[in-house]
Amino acid sequence: MISVAIPTLNGAAELDRTLAAVRRQTVEAEVVVLDSSSTDGTPEVAARHGATVHVIPQAEFGHGRSRNRLMELASGDRVAFLTQDAEPADDRWLERLLAPDAALACGPYLPRPDASRAVRRDLHDWFARMPEARTFTAADLGDPPMPGPATFASSANLCLARAAWRAVPFRDVAYAEDQRLVLDLLRAGHAKAWVPDAAVLHSHDYRPLEQLRRSFDEARALHELYGWTAPAAPRGVLGTIRAEVRKDRAFAPGGTAASLGYHAARALGAALGTRAARLPPPVRRRLSLEGRP
């Protein structure tokens, strides 16, 4: 049996598109939704698509904890994870994700048609660095491991074997639960498969402050996991921003101001996030989109 598992919160419109795409898959699957007490009708949308819905208080949500709960609620020997706004790009997404013989399989994001130039170019460049379809093992980890093809996975588009999860569950962490899972699985002797043709439509155009806070959380998690540190000197940060804006211009025509805001928010959020330990807890809490002290 195959399951598709999705955590939700006030995402009725996005979830409607996502579940419609799940129901068009060539592989039939049980759908399980764990909702954090939405107030916009999200549970009703899920039920209309035939999903089994479980509701928890919003305060009980945790990225790793809730995905472990979804594994407990799901029946499948393989469980594919999406987010409410990660829509399978075609009707063979699940079929392709299930094909590799690996503890974990994952695929890429594609930008939505209305995504900004900066977001489209960012996703294009990141996934262009990924290889053709292949399987990774512990031998592919660097010493020390760093962010890259071997360690990448996203809870918005991955499939996990139940037998592997029983031995190596998600960690109950505030962020980057997916990349921590990959490291734990590989170190435990399991394999991870990269499936480039199992894509989902998944992109966001956040306002600058929200982008900064999201980048803060992401960079903080990467620093805690890998020790990676982003540039913080003004000259280095400005250089990064200028370089990224130039890449956007070369990628496609569009507004420079929007690119500038996007990359400035990302660079500043990364500089602060990788130095979060030096900031007072009240400042960290205000900068974190997750409200993490």
Side-chain angles (χ1 to χ4, degrees):
M1 186 171 182
I2 307 301
S3 300
V4 174
I6 309 175
T8 60
L9 172 63
N10 292 332
E14 296 93 342
L15 184 65
D16 191 42
R17 292 195 301 266
T18 296
L19 290 182
V22 169
R23 290 308 188 196
R24 291 194 296 268
Q25 295 300 299
T26 57
V27 176
E28 186 175 352
E30 166 196 57
V31 179
V32 181
V33 166
L34 185 66
D35 184 74
S36 296
S37 299
S38 293
T39 58
D40 69 341
T42 293
E44 290 77 12
V45 168
R48 191 168 67 244
H49 284 279
T52 301
V53 182
H54 301 266
V55 179
I56 59 172
Q58 190 171 340
E60 290 185 9
F61 175 81
H63 286 288
R65 179 191 324 146
S66 294
R67 287 174 173 89
N68 282 331
R69 181 63 180 141
L70 278 163
M71 288 294 298
E72 294 168 354
L73 295 168
S75 303
D77 297 317
R78 306 276 293 281
V79 180
F81 282 89
L82 293 168
T83 53
Q84 62 196 21
D85 55 354
E87 177 186 345
D90 61 42
D91 60 6
R92 296 184 62 198
W93 160 77
L94 186 54
E95 174 188 337
R96 292 166 177 150
L97 207 56
L98 292 167
D101 182 15
L104 184 149
C106 60
Y109 304 159
L110 297 177
R112 292 193 173 277
D114 59 350
S116 68
R117 175 183 65 170
V119 170
R120 285 186 287 119
R121 201 273 301 170
D122 211 10
L123 288 176
H124 173 273
D125 284 8
W126 169 250
F127 288 113
R129 294 194 291 267
M130 299 294 284
E132 296 297 319
R134 65 161 291 182
T135 299
F136 295 91
T137 66
D140 298 301
L141 293 175
D143 186 18
M146 292 297 289
T151 57
F152 174 79
S154 169
S155 293
N157 186 15
L158 67 80
C159 186
L160 183 59
R162 181 170 300 279
W165 170 79
R166 287 194 182 102
V168 185
F170 288 95
R171 294 200 196 188
D172 185 6
V173 292
Y175 227 81
E177 78 293 338
D178 35 28
Q179 295 196 48
R180 288 181 184 272
L181 178 66
V182 170
L183 287 176
D184 289 344
L185 284 169
L186 294 183
R187 287 167 172 163
H190 297 283
K192 183 204 87 169
W194 170 245
V195 191
D197 56 355
V200 297
L201 299 175
H202 185 57
S203 60
H204 299 100
D205 279 285
Y206 298 114
R207 293 180 178 179
L209 180 58
E210 187 178 4
Q211 182 63 65
L212 185 151
R213 297 178 72 197
R214 184 167 293 274
S215 296
F216 175 86
D217 284 331
E218 291 173 349
R220 182 180 181 181
L222 291 177
H223 178 74
E224 292 170 349
L225 186 55
Y226 301 110
W228 172 78
T229 302
R235 185 173 181 178
V237 172
L238 289 172
T240 297
I241 295 168
R242 282 196 297 267
E244 295 299 317
V245 171
R246 283 196 297 269
K247 291 177 185 177
D248 286 353
R249 288 174 177 165
F251 181 74
T256 298
S259 287
L260 185 62
Y262 174 80
H263 293 296
R266 281 181 61 90
L268 183 55
L272 292 169
T274 53
R275 293 162 179 81
R278 307 179 194 177
L279 302 174
V283 174
R284 293 199 296 263
R285 186 177 289 108
R286 289 184 67 84
L287 283 171
S288 172
L289 199 62
E290 303 284 330
R292 180 186 171 197

